Amino acid sequence: TSVFVESAVMSAQHYKELIIQEKETQREIAVAHMKEVFKQIDGDGSGFITGDEMDIFLEDPSLRKYIGALDINPDDARMMFRLLDKDGSECVDIGEFCKGCLRLQGDAKSFDIHVLLFEIHRFLNKWSDFTEYVEQVFSAVQARDTKPTP
């Protein structure tokens, strides 16, 4: 029985390593494709994608299919561009593009939804505290300004 248990443990470890290796290979292939897509979108070869270049790119039906094959919905590409453009510069470089596309691939997982709900709840609590503070300050200023002057 110890030989069987040892064999099962080794088999499970090997299976785990294969899964990790397969995921990494899939990621590398996806990044290579994303870099190719980036080059196709970057019409002027500047090393940056602009919103206008993204719009032109999405007018080509075959390129829309290609970006769809990367598990990114082409109809959401303009919003995707805004999500990728973290600094609001209206330009996205290849690193931002690949990192963002990897993050945006596929459907939202339950974990993603719960993180979002948690962040929204936290924001609403802070917003509530802030509005209470503003109301208190406003009331104090209003009370000070409505007092009769002697």
Side-chain angles (χ1 to χ4, degrees):
T1 41
S2 67
V3 172
F4 174 76
V5 171
E6 185 177 328
S7 175
V9 168
M10 289 176 59
S11 177
Q13 180 63 29
H14 179 69
Y15 181 68
K16 178 180 160 187
E17 291 169 5
L18 285 175
I19 290 173
I20 292 169
Q21 184 179 6
E22 182 180 337
K23 286 289 184 186
E24 186 58 31
T25 301
Q26 288 175 351
R27 184 182 182 285
E28 289 171 2
I29 290 169
V31 168
H33 285 288
M34 288 171 196
K35 286 180 179 180
E36 186 59 37
V37 169
F38 182 91
K39 289 176 187 174
Q40 291 178 13
I41 297 172
D42 183 19
D44 61 3
S46 65
F48 293 93
I49 295 173
T50 64
D52 291 339
E53 286 175 321
M54 180 70 91
D55 291 340
I56 291 167
F57 171 77
L58 292 170
E59 289 174 6
D60 184 336
S62 65
L63 296 175
R64 286 176 59 87
K65 285 181 185 177
Y66 184 64
I67 202 167
L70 292 174
D71 207 14
I72 299 166
N73 185 344
D75 293 329
D76 297 333
R78 195 61 161 132
M79 177 54 79
M80 182 183 86
F81 181 82
R82 286 191 287 244
L83 291 171
L84 297 177
D85 183 21
K86 295 281 188 190
D87 61 2
S89 65
E90 290 292 317
C91 292
V92 174
D93 68 25
I94 195 163
E96 289 174 307
F97 183 78
C98 292
K99 184 177 177 182
C101 286
L102 286 172
R103 221 177 32 251
L104 297 173
Q105 274 187 321
D107 297 326
K109 296 180 176 95
S110 177
F111 178 80
D112 299 325
I113 302 300
H114 286 281
V115 167
L116 185 59
L117 289 171
F118 173 79
E119 292 296 330
I120 289 171
H121 183 70
R122 196 171 74 149
F123 170 79
L124 290 174
N125 285 336
K126 286 183 178 187
W127 182 255
S128 178
D129 293 344
F130 175 73
T131 55
E132 282 181 35
Y133 169 76
V134 169
E135 287 174 2
Q136 289 172 0
V137 170
F138 183 72
S139 294
V141 168
Q142 191 175 28
R144 184 191 69 195
D145 290 345
T146 58
K147 285 184 182 178
T149 54

